[in-house]
Amino acid sequence: MDGGAPGATPGAGHGGSAAWGLLLPVREAPPRQRGRVLQTGLREAVRSGRLAPGARLPSSRELAADLGVSRGLVTEAYEQLTAEGYLTSSRGSGTWVGDTARDAPAGDRSAGERTAAPAVDFRPGSPDPALFPRAAWAAAHRRALAGLPHHALGYPDPRGLPELRSAVAALLTRRRGVAADPGRVVICSGVAQAMTLLALTLGGSGGGTVAVETPGSFEHAALFAAAGLRTVPVGLDTEGLLPGDLAASGARAAVLTPSHQFPSGIAYSAARRSALLAWARDADGLLVEDDYDGDFRYDRAPVGALQGLDPRRVAYTGSVSKSLAPGLRLGWLVAPDGLAGEIVERKRTMDLGHPVLDQALLADFIARGEYDRQLRRCGRAYRQRRDALLRALAEHIGGTEVTGIAAGLHVIASLPPRCGPQERLLARAARAGVAVRPLSDYLPPRPPSPPPGSDGGDGGDGGRVRLVLGYAHLTPNRIAHGVRLLAGAARHP
Ligand SMILES: Cc1ncc(COP(=O)(O)O)c(C=O)c1O
């Protein structure tokens, strides 16, 4: 449908438009995978905005006929996406794109007015907003405001306030092993803006192709593509991104989550880190490190950042989105020497510098030890929640294999084959009020190589459905309740 205009009715005549073009792989997919491919294509179309909020979908009969698949498959896809909040439907008047639209965080209920919110939402990505340290933040806000001289309220240094850059450099050096001097730290609006600044800088010096992990974050490819770069998916094994595939991809930069790969949960091995750095040196390439949840490690001290091994070849990015709250939009980029000047100029022309008061506040918060206190407090809570999830899975869905448990805010649960095929399990879980994301959501329909521990990415692993379960935003009781609901959905025919 042309641009997904609200109220338009896409159908047989619109098969060539961008949104419906995404669904064409459904036809080519093997019969058992068609349901998954259809759901992934629809989600992607909504997420990317190709299907705009309010757009009406064709009837299940029409879409089934267009795609050459059974009507039941389309009905099931519509039901599943309705339960997840992507679509909304009302009896007799059809199915519409909901206004949850692009990747609303799990905690955002604003779009829940027209669709029932799930009773328990295991979709990953959110910290617990209830752990936000409101009193300490308010006190830091008061002190920061009182302490800012008049002249500091002018346009700030585009790199960030000197006191925040010093505080962040010291924090990253101490906690993450980053080689950070304040002169190369740029304060920005989260990892997202850091990636955009890097993408614009790389694009300005000749463009080229950027490799993204597969499976990987939806955001990486979207951010680099939005800045005009070509992205190429590169697969992983159990040690990290495949260096041979990276070399063959023709990319000149690669975006990595080495401390806790998103979403598979693996930590890159030391050997793989060396191999990727060797690629960067040989190919004059750049590794972009997304340290999105590297502070949370439960079995031992966090693995140091890749950047510390070669700061000339790695751009390091991080933020307070997992440690404090994503809505603060506060993060940092530690730039390699050769790129720092241009990145700062990009930041200046993008927004004339980061909001001063937010920066002064965070500088105060870090300097007084509040940030470390927050990390300790969240780390304790999240470890308990992870343990509650592991216990509940062992008790209610015996035979589940759980990986990626040592760090971060989510795990991968491979359910035993008796839980049934993926499409059926997801539809039943949604009806039972549990929102879950399968690992296959993070793969393109045809992955370039199997993800870690996979038999080929058909959403199953020897008949096992693999789910990415986020737990940090749920209390132990909610987690146990959600796993019981999931077990019930898996049990009943
Ligand atoms: C792996 C990963 N990195 C980074 C981000 C964005 O982080 P920030 O809030 O710091 O921009 C996300 C958010 O979806 C993510 O999933």
Side-chain angles (χ1 to χ4, degrees), residues 188-206:
C188 51
S189 310
V191 168
Q193 192 183 43
M195 298 268 172
T196 299
L197 292 169
L198 283 161
L200 292 171
T201 302
L202 291 174
S205 61

Side-chain angles (χ1 to χ4, degrees), residues 374-458:
Q374 168 74 357
L375 288 176
R376 285 196 297 275
R377 181 167 169 244
C378 291
R380 278 194 302 273
Y382 296 161
R383 177 203 280 268
Q384 279 173 5
R385 293 168 190 201
R386 179 205 63 166
D387 292 346
L389 177 60
L390 299 181
R391 268 197 311 277
L393 287 168
E395 185 177 339
H396 300 293
I397 316 181
T400 299
E401 289 170 7
V402 193
T403 53
I405 63 174
L409 314 184
H410 69 271
V411 299
I412 302 291
S414 287
L415 305 185
R418 67 181 149 74
C419 291
Q422 178 162 303
E423 302 309 332
R424 198 181 72 189
L425 177 72
L426 295 183
R428 287 179 182 167
R431 282 198 288 274
V434 197
V436 287
R437 258 197 199 288
L439 182 62
S440 60
D441 264 11
Y442 298 93
L443 292 163
R446 289 173 195 282
S449 56
S454 155
D455 64 354
D458 66 351

Side-chain angles (χ1 to χ4, degrees), residues 103 124-125 189-195 213 216-220 223 257 260-263 290-293 317-322 325-327 329-332 442:
D103 285 339
S189 310
V191 168
Q193 192 183 43
M195 298 268 172
E213 295 173 324
S217 162
F218 304 127
E219 300 298 353
H220 291 161
L223 290 165
T257 47
H260 186 235
Q261 200 274 329
F262 187 86
D290 175 357
D291 200 20
Y292 69 104
D293 69 1
T317 69
S319 75
V320 304
S321 291
K322 301 291 188 274
R329 308 312 302 136
L330 268 167
W332 39 78
Y442 298 93

Side-chain angles (χ1 to χ4, degrees), residues 114-178:
R114 282 189 276 151
T115 54
V120 183
D121 191 344
F122 280 117
R123 286 172 294 178
S126 299
D128 186 349
L131 292 178
F132 184 76
R134 285 175 189 265
W137 195 255
H141 187 276
R142 272 194 306 277
R143 282 192 301 268
L145 191 56
L148 272 181
H150 291 329
H151 70 78
L153 293 171
Y155 288 108
D157 182 331
R159 292 173 297 178
L161 290 190
E163 56 270 38
L164 180 57
R165 285 187 285 117
S166 296
V168 166
L171 180 83
L172 296 178
T173 304
R174 174 167 56 82
R175 291 197 72 100
R176 306 293 303 120
V178 173

Side-chain angles (χ1 to χ4, degrees), residues 335-360:
D337 263 341
L339 297 179
E342 191 173 347
I343 287 172
V344 172
E345 184 53 18
R346 294 278 177 184
K347 172 70 180 161
R348 196 186 70 75
T349 52
M350 188 178 283
D351 55 16
L352 300 184
H354 208 74
V356 172
L357 184 55
D358 291 356
Q359 294 194 62

